[in-house]
Amino acid sequence: MAVVKANAYGHGVVPAARALAGADAFAVARMREAVALRTAGFRQRIVLLQGVKDAEEMQEAAQDGIELVVHQREQIELLQAWRGAQRFRVWLKIDTGMGRLGFWPGDTPAALARVAECRSIVQPAGLMTHLAEAEVRNNGYTRAQLRLFAQLTAGLPGERSIANSAGLVAWPAARADWVRPGLMLYGISPFAESSAADLGLRPAMRLESRVIAVKDVSAGDRVGYGGTWTAARKSRIAVAAGGYGDCYPRNAATGTPVLVNEIPAPLVGRVSMDMLTIDVTELPPVAPGDPVVLWGRGVPVETVAAGAGTIPYELVCGVSERVQVELC
Ligand SMILES: *Cc1c(COP(=O)(O)O)cnc(C)c1O
């Protein structure tokens, strides 16, 4: 089940789904994304991870054949009240320790019983849960979540789904019938200690810009807002188009690598809304128009995220509208 929520992690839901057309199902967070996939002609199963919030969304789900995650009582009531001809495939979500969506273990038997009796549901319902720290290898919390899920679902019919990307890679016991990878499909590692390359993944996104100016600075000159970087020697600074108005994190620290003409060079000074500054003193001559890669092959978005105190998920999801997205 290929997770393409949040505009396919910033990659564009329709182009990404085309690239992932071999998936058996797609998973999205919002109805609007599910409708976009149907409108674009995708016929695969589509799972709405948050389920429906009202009767209007039930109607849309029925019309487009969208599968629903059922994580709270109100959603069972919507299904019980449904009088349309269509029946729904649903996934009952059990909260085994994420503390977010899903029925707590104590409420699960009653929820399962209601779902099993509901005539608008295609039986048997699928069974799912979500891991809270699968990216930490071999931890007791995840082991307990897996054990609890196994106990709560023992002997029940219905397909099981547990694993996100990290669960799929690090927890073979979590693979069950359906896996739900998101991040790794875009070539990004979910682990702090393993790179995408370690996992055999290649980034799908390249955030590319151009040098718009090159400027010589003297020792003691400050660069950028707040003067957070001061040249310690005569230096050459390339100014590249691209800043936090595009998705490049303002918190990225001096020293975060970028590629100028495919050669690594350090970001220096504070990232602006539309521009950032790079120390290219050590590089062969750089001129306006030269290509700058802010993340992609050679500059993992994981590295940029670490340098900005965030996670790669946040960076790729934040790609703003003025960034032109093309899939290779
Ligand atoms: C987002 C999400 C996933 C995918 O997670 P990744 O870490 O991106 O692989 C899987 N399952 C659920 C319920 C999610 O919300």
Side-chain angles (χ1 to χ4, degrees):
M1 189 184 294
V3 180
V4 294
K5 63 187 177 188
N7 199 28
Y9 295 54
H11 295 69
V13 67
V14 168
R18 260 188 213 118
L20 296 165
D24 300 301
F26 292 116
V28 295
R30 307 279 160 80
M31 184 60 82
R32 213 150 57 102
E33 300 166 321
V35 171
L37 288 173
R38 283 288 182 254
T39 305
F42 291 98
R43 311 242 54 89
Q44 283 95 334
R45 295 170 67 171
I46 299 177
V47 178
L48 188 59
L49 292 172
Q50 296 180 357
V52 289
K53 60 176 184 297
D54 53 29
E56 194 181 323
E57 284 197 340
M58 289 279 291
Q59 200 71 48
E60 289 181 291
Q63 198 164 319
D64 277 339
I66 307 301
E67 303 185 15
L68 308 177
V69 167
V70 171
H71 58 79
Q72 62 188 346
R73 197 195 171 99
E74 290 79 355
Q75 292 172 323
I76 300 181
E77 287 163 2
L78 281 168
L79 285 155
Q80 287 168 334
W82 176 253
R83 292 292 167 265
Q86 300 91 333
R87 291 157 76 229
F88 297 87
R89 277 177 137 158
V90 310
W91 293 82
L92 186 92
K93 186 160 187 179
I94 305 172
D95 194 333
T96 54
M98 179 68 186
R100 201 177 58 179
L101 296 185
F103 295 93
W104 285 119
D107 301 326
T108 294
L112 281 165
R114 281 197 204 97
V115 162
E117 284 161 13
C118 183
R119 275 175 298 123
S120 60
I121 292 175
V122 176
Q123 301 293 341
L127 303 162
M128 67 183 278
T129 193
H130 194 51
L131 301 174
E133 54 177 50
E135 68 282 2
V136 180
R137 291 175 194 266
N138 200 25
N139 72 79
Y141 197 80
T142 301
R143 270 196 301 278
Q145 282 197 272
L146 294 174
R147 209 161 38 235
L148 187 53
F149 186 71
Q151 282 164 9
L152 290 165
T153 59
L156 294 173
E159 297 178 311
R160 273 100 165 131
S161 177
I162 306 171
N164 58 2
S165 299
L168 188 169
V169 175
W171 299 87
R175 288 180 195 160
D177 299 308
W178 288 82
V179 290
R180 307 189 304 271
L183 193 72
M184 69 182 296
L185 298 177
Y186 308 98
I188 303 170
S189 169
F191 304 100
E193 77 291 348
S194 312
S195 70
D198 291 341
L199 302 173
L201 302 171
R202 275 182 298 138
M205 184 187 287
R206 181 175 65 225
L207 183 66
E208 191 186 290
S209 184
R210 299 266 165 202
V211 172
I212 56 173
V214 179
K215 127 167 312 170
D216 290 317
V217 298
S218 309
D221 284 344
R222 298 177 11 157
V223 170
Y225 284 118
T228 61
W229 187 81
T230 301
R233 55 173 178 170
K234 192 171 174 304
S235 305
R236 179 157 289 177
I237 299 298
V239 182
Y244 63 81
D246 300 285
C247 62
Y248 196 86
R250 181 174 174 279
N251 286 341
T254 282
T256 302
V258 304
L259 297 182
V260 179
N261 293 323
E262 299 294 324
I263 305 170
L267 173 84
V268 294
R270 199 168 272 166
V271 173
S272 308
M273 185 187 289
D274 311 308
M275 283 169 267
L276 47 79
T277 38
I278 308 157
D279 183 353
V280 294
T281 313
E282 305 287 338
L283 267 57
V286 170
D290 285 354
V292 176
V293 177
L294 300 177
W295 64 64
R297 207 147 50 93
V299 191
V301 66
E302 295 92 319
T303 305
V304 180
T310 184
I311 54 172
Y313 294 83
E314 187 180 13
L315 298 190
V316 290
C317 287
V319 171
S320 69
E321 227 161 313
R322 76 180 188 188
V323 176
Q324 207 177 318
V325 177
E326 294 161 27
L327 250 62
C328 29

